[in-house]
Amino acid sequence: MLVDYFNQPELAAQVRQALGTQVGLASYGQRPFLFVAYTTDQNAATAAVKTLSDRGFWPMLVDSRRVTVIAPAVR
């Protein structure tokens, strides 16, 4: 799962707080995104998307084969 952060790195802390997990940085389609999670659990993915969407973020479920993780954790 990726989140578009619109080139505003301070959103990483907000996403981390919303989900209580580390947030990384990834590239998808030659654009940078916050890397939130990799999961095969559809229920967990749906819950995370709902949580983030409800808080005004732009989460996306994408094909992990097209994602390059740049940094596993952003401080």
Side-chain angles (χ1 to χ4, degrees):
M1 177 182 327
L2 303 176
V3 171
D4 194 338
Y5 70 103
F6 303 104
N7 209 20
Q8 298 175 25
E10 63 274 9
L11 290 181
Q14 295 173 19
V15 170
R16 182 174 50 242
Q17 183 179 12
L19 294 178
T21 62
Q22 284 293 337
V23 176
L25 188 62
S27 174
Y28 177 76
Q30 299 181 350
R31 287 191 50 224
F33 290 89
L34 296 176
F35 172 72
V36 177
Y38 169 81
T39 184
T40 57
D41 181 345
Q42 184 176 0
N43 292 330
T46 301
V49 166
K50 181 172 179 6
T51 297
L52 291 171
S53 293
D54 288 350
R55 295 186 183 183
F57 297 106
W58 291 76
M60 303 183 313
L61 296 176
V62 298
D63 182 352
S64 64
R65 296 173 293 185
R66 299 186 59 209
V67 174
T68 301
V69 176
I70 297 167
V74 176
R75 296 181 195 160

